[in-house]
Amino acid sequence: MREIHYRRFNHKNYRFILTAPLKLDTGIIGRACKTDWIELRNDGTLIIADCYAWDGATGAINTENSIAGSCGHDALYQLIRLGLLPRTARLKADSNLRKWLIEDGMSEFRAGYWFVAVR
């Protein structure tokens, strides 16, 4: 399981907040973009800043092996909503969610179920 530093955040729209930056590999190459909280580098590295808040797994139970994946997925979707990534990047974001969940110890079956749910 990857190291992620966060805490619960009691806000009407957000359940978690990072207490240290989170770095994830997306495989999204050559699409560099940056906001105040999210940076996607040309090499596919996604860096999510300290104090980034997200809602966790929408419609599912949040477990330790879903925290980083849900954060990265929400950040990629935010870049899509802002028009910094094309809408076609949704499939890559959803595939990354599944990959990150498995890397963090979630069963392939459950991660596959999450993939189907976000598609």
Side-chain angles (χ1 to χ4, degrees), residues 6-115:
Y6 71 97
R7 65 178 172 83
R8 291 208 172 265
F9 186 55
N10 293 321
H11 183 278
K12 67 178 184 173
N13 296 320
Y14 307 109
R15 287 189 260 179
F16 304 102
I17 188 168
L18 288 177
T19 58
L22 176 63
K23 186 189 238 184
L24 298 165
D25 176 41
T26 68
I28 301 172
I29 307 297
R31 291 278 189 174
C33 54
K34 188 173 182 176
T35 72
D36 290 342
W37 304 101
I38 307 163
E39 178 182 3
L40 179 60
R41 295 184 175 167
N42 271 324
D43 68 356
T45 302
L46 180 68
I47 301 172
I48 307 166
D50 179 22
C51 295
Y52 180 80
W54 76 105
D55 68 352
T58 306
I61 297 171
N62 289 290
T63 55
E64 284 300 314
N65 56 15
S66 70
I67 300 297
S70 70
C71 182
H73 188 257
D74 282 9
L76 288 175
Y77 264 59
Q78 186 173 350
L79 294 176
I80 293 167
R81 283 191 310 273
L82 291 170
L84 298 172
L85 287 177
R87 186 162 166 71
T88 56
R90 278 189 61 233
L91 176 58
K92 190 65 173 170
D94 297 343
S95 298
N96 273 309
L97 172 64
R98 182 180 182 280
K99 177 185 80 150
W100 295 327
L101 295 173
I102 292 168
E103 287 174 355
D104 286 344
M106 187 178 284
S107 72
E108 288 190 26
F109 176 80
R110 184 173 175 221
Y113 184 82
W114 281 44
F115 174 80

